[in-house]
Amino acid sequence: MQQVEAVRAYLLDLQQRITSAMAAIDGAPFLEDRWEKAPGEPLQGNGVTKILEQGAVLERAGCGFSHVRGTRLPPSATQHRPELAGAPFEALGVSLVFHPRNPYAPTVHMNVRMISAEPAGAPPVFWFGGGMDLTPIYGFEEDAVHFHRVCKQSVEPFGADRHAHYKKWCDEYFHLKHRNEQRGVGGIFFDDVSDLGFDGGFALMRSVGDAFLGAYEPILGRRKDMAWGERERGFQLYRRGRYVEFNLVWDRGTHFGLQSGGRTESILLSMPPLCSWAYRQEPAPGTPEAELYTRFLPRREWV
């Protein structure tokens, strides 16, 4: 299908551009793992996982492309589209999570994707999703404002109300319900976008994907060389535990991949290399650690 091939070509190029830029900052290359699903597995298809581990700047950074086909859409993909339940489908996407070594440099996530389904007796249906969000360990106002400003600029051409809608959607999505706590300072998130048609949805996806480096590179550049010690490292590992909790308990993309028989190593490339948990750990009032909870995690308008 011509539309699918156009999306595939864009996503592979996006993955290459992002990993090349990050490798230049870190000074170490991403390792490339090309994979293909074996015959007889629930999903068929292929992908490219690129990962950098134990770099000078990025302690663990994964950026994966996947293009898979299945005979039946899993429940996580049809909860808002019951009429497509059980339809054959294709799913393409690029997903990344970068965990910097420096605790002052925030973790970042970005994902852009397209799913197409072929319901019996009807033309193919396309819908798009994606977004990006920032998860600081130590908050900086200028970083959060910059990130949100770039996010807003990326979606504004597609409707004046989209940024407010997608920003709220991000806040609601990246919420640890079992702790009543935000994962980070948010960004934008959208899913099941079909109202723009294929051309409009693809343009929206490209705009968000193309905005990522402009949103994150300046922040990483400001924070990667800041001095830090054992205290900051301990808090970083503790907060990374929240990241793991969200991904395993609430993340719809993780559930989609595992439910549909996806490649586990690629699905879990978002996990940090190290993290920790502690019983009822609460930072002392007035500390930079406490400020994360009081000033940065509560939902607010940044731009």
Side-chain angles (χ1 to χ4, degrees):
M1 198 183 306
Q2 193 172 19
Q3 294 104 320
V4 172
E5 289 306 311
V7 173
R8 179 184 174 95
Y10 167 75
L11 291 172
L12 284 168
D13 178 69
L14 177 66
Q15 182 191 38
Q16 180 61 42
R17 283 187 282 132
I18 291 173
T19 54
S20 293
M22 290 295 108
I25 292 171
D26 190 276
F30 279 72
L31 300 178
E32 185 175 294
D33 180 18
R34 294 182 175 270
W35 54 268
E36 187 154 357
K37 300 295 289 183
E41 291 196 37
L43 284 183
Q44 292 297 296
N46 53 66
V48 183
T49 298
K50 295 191 177 188
I51 190 156
L52 193 164
E53 295 185 290
Q54 300 306 320
V57 175
L58 300 170
E59 190 171 9
R60 190 168 197 257
C63 182
F65 162 80
S66 65
H67 180 185
V68 296
R69 305 167 190 84
T71 57
R72 292 174 60 86
L73 275 164
S76 58
T78 57
Q79 57 183 286
H80 302 303
R81 293 173 168 272
E83 74 278 6
L84 298 177
F89 71 96
E90 285 189 70
L92 301 86
V94 163
S95 180
L96 66 82
V97 175
F98 297 158
H99 295 285
R101 185 175 295 279
N102 192 315
Y104 289 109
T107 291
V108 70
H109 158 259
M110 191 275 289
N111 174 277
V112 285
R113 59 192 176 274
M114 183 197 81
I115 300 178
S116 66
E118 298 185 28
V125 178
F126 299 94
W127 67 101
F128 295 83
M132 63 180 103
D133 67 288
L134 195 69
T135 305
I137 308 299
Y138 290 91
F140 294 91
E141 187 94 7
E142 65 177 317
D143 294 354
V145 169
H146 169 79
F147 191 84
H148 278 271
R149 182 176 292 124
V150 175
C151 286
K152 183 178 182 181
Q153 291 168 349
S154 73
V155 300
E156 274 187 326
F158 303 92
D161 61 338
R162 287 198 185 260
H163 175 255
H165 179 46
Y166 293 169
K167 194 268 184 189
K168 181 181 179 183
W169 200 342
C170 185
D171 287 339
E172 292 175 349
Y173 184 81
F174 291 106
H175 179 71
L176 283 79
K177 299 179 182 66
H178 60 291
R179 293 188 183 273
N180 192 28
E181 179 181 292
Q182 296 301 117
R183 187 171 82 170
V185 298
I188 52 173
F189 179 83
F190 59 96
D191 207 358
D192 298 330
V193 172
S194 58
D195 61 300
L196 297 172
F198 173 82
D199 290 341
F202 188 20
L204 171 64
M205 187 185 82
R206 292 197 309 270
S207 185
V208 171
D210 292 345
F212 171 75
L213 287 173
Y216 187 61
E217 270 191 301
I219 297 171
L220 184 61
R222 283 195 292 266
R223 308 300 166 203
K224 65 183 179 65
D225 296 319
M226 291 180 66
W228 56 276
E230 290 185 13
R231 169 178 166 170
E232 290 86 356
R233 177 62 164 176
F235 190 58
Q236 179 191 48
L237 297 184
Y238 177 70
R239 289 298 307 171
R240 281 179 177 176
R242 295 288 207 272
Y243 211 88
V244 171
E245 289 179 23
F246 179 84
N247 281 12
L248 293 182
V249 177
W250 300 108
D251 186 61
R252 186 177 169 192
T254 300
H255 296 168
F256 174 87
L258 297 176
Q259 289 173 5
S260 60
R263 187 172 185 263
T264 302
E265 282 295 307
S266 297
I267 296 165
L268 298 181
L269 62 76
S270 63
M271 295 302 178
L274 295 170
C275 56
S276 68
W277 282 265
Y279 184 70
R280 299 189 66 180
Q281 178 172 305
E282 296 179 6
T287 62
E289 291 81 9
E291 190 178 54
L292 176 74
Y293 295 93
T294 60
R295 182 179 171 192
F296 289 92
L297 294 185
R299 299 179 189 180
R300 56 182 278 195
E301 297 301 319
W302 292 97
V303 291

